[in-house]
Amino acid sequence: MPFSIAIQKDDFDVGNEYASLVTGDAHAGAVVFFVGRVREMNQSRRVSGLSLEYYPGMTELVLEQILESAKQRWDLLSVRIIHRVGRLHLMDQIVFVGVTSKHREQAFQAAEFLMDFLKTQAPFWKKEITEEGEIWVEENQADKAASERW
């Protein structure tokens, strides 16, 4: 599983994902991972959950393209991307991006790059469940600016 992508409804276990990234890999001097979760507040709105949708087939293709770009930029040993879809509750895990490399700089940069492009390029649609009802989340300009620096 050196390079893998999963879009799933089920939760993931961070410990298992970490183990699968490093098991049997004596070359990986750096392991960096990010876990995104459903938080309580977004844009001054109290959030109790999310509903995430995606475009089957197209989303996986875009994630593969983002992964290929990262592999061309950095010397990566393994990458694991998991993005959940469906109904999620407060504090649920949404996304896991794990990267291994020989050196920390490459692992940190690649993980940040992957998240920046996942947030801005991957066809996922997020609807927040709030006290005011369900609200589609629009593109975040800070996320867009972050991806433009690459």
Side-chain angles (χ1 to χ4, degrees):
M1 181 210 54
F3 300 96
S4 68
I5 293 169
I7 299 171
Q8 61 193 45
K9 287 189 176 198
D10 295 332
D11 198 7
F12 52 86
D13 181 291
V14 174
N16 289 342
E17 296 304 329
Y18 170 81
S20 68
L21 280 169
V22 300
T23 298
D25 187 352
H27 300 289
V31 181
V32 172
F33 62 86
F34 171 83
V35 176
R37 300 181 344 143
V38 179
R39 65 178 181 264
E40 181 180 35
M41 294 292 289
N42 187 38
Q43 300 175 359
S44 302
R45 292 189 297 259
R46 185 170 300 282
V47 176
S48 62
L50 295 176
S51 178
L52 287 150
E53 298 178 17
Y54 76 112
Y55 187 159
M58 177 62 78
T59 302
E60 292 88 347
L61 179 63
V62 172
L63 291 177
E64 289 287 345
Q65 291 169 344
I66 293 167
L67 177 55
E68 281 303 313
S69 293
K71 288 166 58 177
Q72 291 173 10
R73 289 172 172 254
W74 296 281
D75 184 18
L76 305 177
L77 300 171
S78 62
V79 174
R80 174 75 164 146
I81 300 171
I82 302 171
H83 203 297
R84 294 182 63 199
V85 293
R87 189 79 162 209
L88 301 174
H89 303 285
L90 192 61
M91 298 184 293
D92 281 353
Q93 299 178 130
I94 305 168
V95 63
F96 176 91
V97 170
V99 176
T100 68
S101 184
K102 291 179 183 176
H103 305 286
R104 73 180 182 275
E105 296 88 0
Q106 295 206 19
F108 273 116
Q109 289 174 7
E112 193 169 13
F113 170 90
L114 289 165
M115 274 308 306
D116 286 346
F117 278 82
L118 197 148
K119 293 277 290 180
T120 59
Q121 302 297 315
F124 288 100
W125 296 274
K126 181 168 50 171
K127 190 186 309 181
E128 292 178 337
I129 315 306
T130 72
E131 295 168 344
E132 295 88 35
E134 297 184 354
I135 301 169
W136 287 104
V137 177
E138 299 200 14
E139 182 178 46
N140 182 316
Q141 291 306 310
D143 291 336
K144 188 172 190 236
S147 70
E148 289 172 355
R149 67 192 162 118
W150 300 106

